[in-house]
Amino acid sequence: MQENRVVRAACPHDCPDTCAMEITVADGRAVKVRGAADMPFTHGALCTKVAHYLERVYSPERLRHPMKRIGRKGEGRFARISWDEALDTIATRFAEIAADDPRAILPYSFAGTMGLVHSAGMDRRFFHRLGASLLDRTICSSAGGAGWKATVGAAQGADPEAVAEARLILIWGANPVVSNLHGWRHLLEAKRRGARLVCIDPWRTQTAEKCDLHLAPLPGSDGALALAMMQVLIAEDRLDHDYIARHTLGFTELAQHVRGFTPEWAAPFVGLPADTIRQLARDYGEAGHDSLIRLNYGLNRHAGGGMAVRNVACLPALTGAWRKPGCGALLSASGNFPVDRATLERPDLYPEPARFPPRTINMSAIGRALLEADDPPIRAIYVYNSNPLAVAPDGNRVRAGFAREDLFCVVHELFQTDTADYADILLPATSQLEHHDLHTAYGHLYALTNRPAIAPLDEALPNSEVFRRLARRLGFDDPALCEDDEAIAASAFLPGDPRARGLAEGFAERGWARLDLPSPFVPFAAGGFPTPSGKCEFYSQRLAEQGLDPLPAWHPPRESAPSNPALAARYPLALISPPARNFLNSSFANLPRFLKGEGGPKLEIHPQDAAARGLADGQRVRVFNTRGAFHASAVVTERIRPGVVVCPSIWWQKLSDDGHNVNAVTSDALTDLGGGACFYDCLVDTEAA
Ligand SMILES: Nc1nc2c(c(=O)[nH]1)N[C@H]1C(S)=C(S)[C@@H](COP(=O)(O)OP(=O)(O)OC[C@H]3O[C@@H](n4cnc5c(=O)[nH]c(N)nc54)[C@H](O)[C@@H]3O)O[C@H]1N2
Ligand SMILES: Nc1nc2c(c(=O)[nH]1)N[C@H]1C(S)=C(S)[C@@H](COP(=O)(O)OP(=O)(O)OC[C@H]3O[C@@H](n4cnc5c(=O)[nH]c(N)nc54)[C@H](O)[C@@H]3O)O[C@H]1N2
Ligand SMILES: [Mo]
């Protein structure tokens, strides 16, 4: 009998916390998963989902063999085949299509695993070499990312482990108790030390409940709120003039520009009294250098989401809050990691564009692309690390796209998801415990390795291995397409970048290591913004060159009374669908423990809105607009403001009793910056089901 051994691993899920895990293995079977006690950010704790990870790894629902479709598309009937048959079928079809135009083949992936090897390594190399359409991976953070980048320069900000230094913390479009639990520990520590926490969220979340103040703006109004805060800070001279003079660009233009954006101007858009907005700005100004804005992506899932984040990102440069450890603002820390994309992804493998110019498809409008793209139409799609039938907006259009008889669809998955039901060839994927990978993070400054703890279940294969095998079949003999996972991981960071110093030693010793950055890391204490000017850009020449407003602007939601009064009269409720605590997007949303934890799709609705529709608590309701409808049970509650409804998500369509989830009603419109998805920019109405 083998002894128990403990394997160092990393949580693969799309969450800012990227935890270090320790997997206890006995006789080849993982028997225990716990958070690493020595990893400072994980601090020995896992979330409610990953604490029960073995239920996912060993779920009887795991796919264990390659299969081919024997029923209608979407019906979900499959027959077992061999890997050889599966790969030969895919290689033959891809070769046929590529002979005409390889851009008719589309990879579709997001962050089922965030590991570099299995989400941004061999997969990218393979599709580049094939000359397939490129995928613009916009579904989560690209709007906010673009707004932040235009202002601050890169995804860098306050050191997440130093935030307890702040005295005033605005938690803005973020719900850390649910979606950034280990970051929340540090925010709570700030509170314990006397900091005031203010939550800015249309919904009274578990986070809002624990803050000193909860402000509930209308969804999509953050751009106006931040402009009004700037107006007050500047008009009342609550500014750090020295910081502004040395480290910002365009203050004079900004001051001129925001003069009319008073709290009185903003109030009707924001849905809060002008006095409340003015007080928030005064408190923020009063806190001076000691404030932190912890944003997450809630405010970026609106038509104006890019500009909203840009406007918020201007605030700490006005007060000089970037000067102090743990202060300033934090959206994502991912830009601190010196990832060598060119080596990982090998865009140079793309065939000489002489034959076909590269074509990019935006993943946030995948339904539209499958139905409408020409030049060339999409003839094959290869889905991995994603479940678009459940997570992509305008779900009915997505479904219609995947239902196309002439579309060759490959899905590589751990489970038979909504998307898997539409596969022609369905391939079994390994879980994180079964493969090697390397992880960066977007909520802290540590890199982590993930060592395989157990052998792949039955015939499951990691993403990289399937692409290696397909490359061989297609006769792609470039050495980059033969590299093994350890070698890919070993070359993932820019050689010689000082931030990567000591990582390899840390990985070997304990599986994780902090980037070689000062601790605490105060990136913009003395300016040095990674923008073209080296300053925080209130005025952005880059935006001007793209034909966009170079100064912070107000872009109202697409679906709201100010932009579309006729639509708002017909569908008066603004629907948001933020993360459910027991799910991770649509992952975990098929497993008994987590389904039980959530207890079925819900629609939280204010008592006034419920009464106006004759709806009672617990009643089945139909939520609808022109795009579609889904069912949920009403939760009548003052946690949500009048005029707004919430459906914590993301449910699988086929596990919902009417076969539809919230994305039946969301739109595939794109955001102002970054081409992102507008999940929370969505008007609906509701009635008894
Ligand atoms: N448990 C759990 N954790 C998760 C996830 C999950 O599904 N479940 N998903 C992961 C992923 S992929 C991501 S990107 C992150 C997302 O993490 P967050 O960015 O924190 O999640 P969101 O729900 O998008 O936004 C957070 C809050 O914004 C609020 N909000 C919605 N619209 C607006 C608005 O217009 N203005 C303001 N101020 N607030 C608004 C929502 O009510 C929500 O409470 O979480 C990750 N972590
Ligand atoms: N209405 C609404 N829709 C939303 C959101 C919302 O807030 N509201 N949030 C949006 C956001 S922020 C995001 S990030 C997206 C998330 O969208 P996705 O990234 O698609 O996230 P998941 O739903 O978790 O699907 C990931 C799938 O990858 C699979 N997987 C995991 N590991 C592997 C692997 O190693 N190999 C392979 N081949 N597969 C693997 C999992 O089993 C899972 O089915 O959803 C978006 N959709
Ligand atoms: Mo996300």
Side-chain angles (χ1 to χ4, degrees), residues 170-252:
L170 309 187
I171 299 178
W172 199 326
N175 184 7
V177 172
V178 162
S179 53
N180 175 207
L181 187 62
H182 299 76
W184 174 245
R185 191 171 71 85
H186 294 276
L187 298 170
L188 265 187
E189 172 62 15
K191 190 171 186 228
R192 210 183 52 80
R193 293 194 203 169
R196 185 158 171 262
L197 268 54
V198 178
C199 183
I200 303 175
D201 191 316
W203 187 29
R204 182 173 290 272
T205 59
Q206 285 166 288
T207 304
E209 258 173 8
K210 295 182 175 72
C211 288
D212 299 287
L213 176 66
H214 173 214
L215 298 177
L218 287 166
S221 68
D222 307 273
L225 179 57
L227 277 171
M229 288 175 72
M230 287 193 251
Q231 189 276 333
V232 174
L233 292 171
I234 295 172
E236 299 187 359
D237 196 22
R238 299 173 187 273
L239 303 168
D240 180 338
H241 288 285
D242 177 64
Y243 195 89
I244 291 171
R246 288 170 194 253
H247 305 310
T248 72
L249 182 74
F251 176 72
T252 314

Side-chain angles (χ1 to χ4, degrees), residues 12-14 56 108-113 118 139-141 297 301 383-388 390-393 412-415 417 427 429-432 435 461-463 577-579 584-587 649-650 652 662-663 666 679-680:
H13 290 288
D14 187 352
R56 180 172 162 88
Y108 193 93
S109 75
F110 202 63
T113 169
H118 296 296
I139 204 160
C140 172
S141 62
Y297 292 104
R301 310 194 199 289
V383 182
Y384 62 104
N385 292 350
S386 187
N387 182 13
V391 308
H412 189 195
E413 250 301 345
L414 285 92
F415 295 99
T417 58
L427 306 172
T430 42
S431 78
Q432 183 79 343
H435 56 232
L461 286 180
N463 295 349
S577 46
L584 198 295
N585 301 320
S586 77
S587 296
S649 288
I650 306 168
W652 285 24
V662 70
N663 282 322
T666 56
F679 289 110
Y680 304 167

Side-chain angles (χ1 to χ4, degrees), residues 164-478:
E165 308 277 321
R167 309 291 300 156
L168 172 70
I169 301 180
L170 309 187
I171 299 178
W172 199 326
N175 184 7
V177 172
V178 162
S179 53
N180 175 207
L181 187 62
H182 299 76
W184 174 245
R185 191 171 71 85
H186 294 276
L187 298 170
L188 265 187
E189 172 62 15
K191 190 171 186 228
R192 210 183 52 80
R193 293 194 203 169
R196 185 158 171 262
L197 268 54
V198 178
C199 183
I200 303 175
D201 191 316
W203 187 29
R204 182 173 290 272
T205 59
Q206 285 166 288
T207 304
E209 258 173 8
K210 295 182 175 72
C211 288
D212 299 287
L213 176 66
H214 173 214
L215 298 177
L218 287 166
S221 68
D222 307 273
L225 179 57
L227 277 171
M229 288 175 72
M230 287 193 251
Q231 189 276 333
V232 174
L233 292 171
I234 295 172
E236 299 187 359
D237 196 22
R238 299 173 187 273
L239 303 168
D240 180 338
H241 288 285
D242 177 64
Y243 195 89
I244 291 171
R246 288 170 194 253
H247 305 310
T248 72
L249 182 74
F251 176 72
T252 314
E253 292 89 334
L254 179 75
Q256 175 69 25
H257 173 72
V258 301
R259 269 165 44 187
F261 296 129
T262 59
E264 285 70 21
W265 164 82
F269 300 117
V270 177
L272 291 173
D275 286 347
T276 304
I277 298 173
R278 183 166 284 108
Q279 192 58 49
L280 176 67
R282 286 182 177 160
D283 292 347
Y284 185 75
E286 200 70 40
H289 296 161
D290 296 316
S291 70
L292 170 74
I293 304 176
R294 180 51 165 122
L295 300 92
N296 217 334
Y297 292 104
L299 69 160
N300 105 133
R301 310 194 199 289
H302 298 272
M307 201 53 94
V309 170
R310 167 156 165 72
N311 297 359
V312 175
C314 291
L315 292 167
L318 290 173
T319 61
W322 286 120
R323 290 184 191 270
K324 294 206 47 183
C327 296
L330 174 64
L331 175 61
S332 164
S334 64
N336 292 299
F337 292 85
V339 176
D340 185 352
R341 296 275 164 201
T343 300
L344 256 185
E345 304 183 0
R346 295 295 303 273
D348 59 298
L349 291 173
Y350 194 88
E352 268 303 296
R355 193 168 162 226
F356 300 109
R359 191 256 303 262
T360 301
I361 298 286
N362 187 327
M363 73 182 304
S364 296
I366 184 59
R368 196 182 291 272
L370 288 172
L371 294 173
E372 294 173 10
D374 52 10
D375 197 26
I378 297 167
R379 294 168 61 194
I381 187 165
Y382 185 119
V383 182
Y384 62 104
N385 292 350
S386 187
N387 182 13
L389 258 291
V391 308
D394 202 350
N396 289 322
R397 197 167 356 212
V398 177
R399 190 192 298 257
F402 274 90
R404 266 178 45 201
E405 276 307 324
D406 60 339
L407 179 74
F408 177 63
C409 176
V410 179
V411 177
H412 189 195
E413 250 301 345
L414 285 92
F415 295 99
Q416 192 174 332
T417 58
D418 288 335
T419 309
D421 284 348
Y422 287 82
D424 293 289
I425 300 289
L426 179 54
L427 306 172
T430 42
S431 78
Q432 183 79 343
L433 269 50
E434 298 150 54
H435 56 232
H436 185 91
D437 216 329
L438 172 68
H439 289 256
T440 61
Y442 61 96
H444 59 65
L445 300 173
Y446 298 80
L448 300 86
T449 44
N450 180 73
R451 298 211 173 81
I454 57 172
L457 262 57
D458 285 323
E459 291 192 282
L461 286 180
N463 295 349
S464 59
E465 180 58 19
V466 180
F467 293 116
R468 277 188 290 262
R469 293 187 187 186
L470 282 173
R472 244 186 345 256
R473 277 177 165 75
L474 287 163
F476 302 160
D477 51 10
D478 189 288

Side-chain angles (χ1 to χ4, degrees), residues 489-665:
S491 60
F493 290 121
L494 289 165
D497 190 292
R499 294 169 294 185
R501 250 186 328 234
L503 290 185
E505 293 74 13
F507 295 159
E509 205 175 290
R510 57 191 119 79
W512 53 267
R514 189 175 182 276
L515 292 173
D516 194 350
L517 291 169
S519 183
F521 181 47
V522 195
F524 311 129
F529 290 89
T531 54
S533 65
K535 300 185 175 204
C536 176
E537 298 197 345
F538 300 136
Y539 183 93
S540 168
Q541 187 59 36
R542 269 193 306 203
L543 290 184
E545 280 158 16
Q546 294 166 53
L548 298 163
D549 202 327
L551 286 163
W554 163 231
H555 296 165
R558 211 165 157 269
E559 303 197 355
S560 63
S563 339
N564 193 339
L567 188 75
R570 227 171 119 203
Y571 301 108
L573 300 173
L575 168 69
I576 56 175
S577 46
R581 185 168 193 164
N582 290 282
F583 302 160
L584 198 295
N585 301 320
S586 77
S587 296
F588 300 94
N590 61 324
L591 300 176
R593 172 189 298 275
F594 310 105
L595 286 167
K596 189 160 165 253
E598 289 299 324
K602 303 266 169 42
L603 187 78
E604 297 198 18
I605 182 166
H606 189 272
Q608 280 171 21
D609 292 323
R613 291 163 182 78
L615 301 175
D617 193 59
Q619 188 169 351
R620 293 297 293 165
V621 294
R622 177 174 170 270
V623 184
F624 60 95
N625 60 19
T626 49
R627 289 177 289 264
F630 69 98
H631 288 190
S633 59
V635 177
V636 178
T637 170
E638 290 185 357
R639 300 176 76 90
I640 191 66
R641 54 173 296 160
V644 186
V645 287
V646 188
C647 175
S649 288
I650 306 168
W651 295 83
W652 285 24
Q653 310 237 26
K654 64 177 162 182
L655 299 182
S656 308
D657 63 7
D658 65 327
H660 293 283
N661 72 5
V662 70
N663 282 322
V665 298

